[in-house]
Amino acid sequence: MGEIVRLVPKPELERARLIREARAIYDSIFPSTDAVTEHPDDRLSQGTQSGRKALLRAVPVL
């Protein structure tokens, strides 16, 4: 007794599922900087820019 059950509409469940799926795809393409073993500063000092940083500047993050 005392349990509260929240009824969630199907569109809201679908939206949450799509967001989770999109985040998983994004993380598989652009792994977090913690997962990258190479230091971005090393590449920048060689005159190139990290591909992930360049894409993040071009593509807005939700």
Side-chain angles (χ1 to χ4, degrees), residues 1 7-8 13-15 18 25-26 28 30-32 34-35 41 43 49 51-53 55-60:
M1 197 167 130
L7 300 177
V8 182
L13 289 173
E14 179 69 6
R15 179 179 177 273
L18 290 172
I25 292 170
Y26 183 88
S28 71
F30 304 108
S32 67
D34 296 339
D41 295 336
R43 280 201 234 163
Q49 188 176 26
R52 182 174 195 261
K53 286 185 179 181
L55 285 174
L56 286 178
R57 288 190 186 119
V59 179

Side-chain angles (χ1 to χ4, degrees), residues 27-49:
D27 289 340
S28 71
I29 296 170
F30 304 108
S32 67
T33 54
D34 296 339
V36 177
T37 57
E38 186 178 41
H39 297 287
D41 295 336
D42 294 341
R43 280 201 234 163
L44 290 175
S45 64
Q46 296 171 358
T48 61
Q49 188 176 26

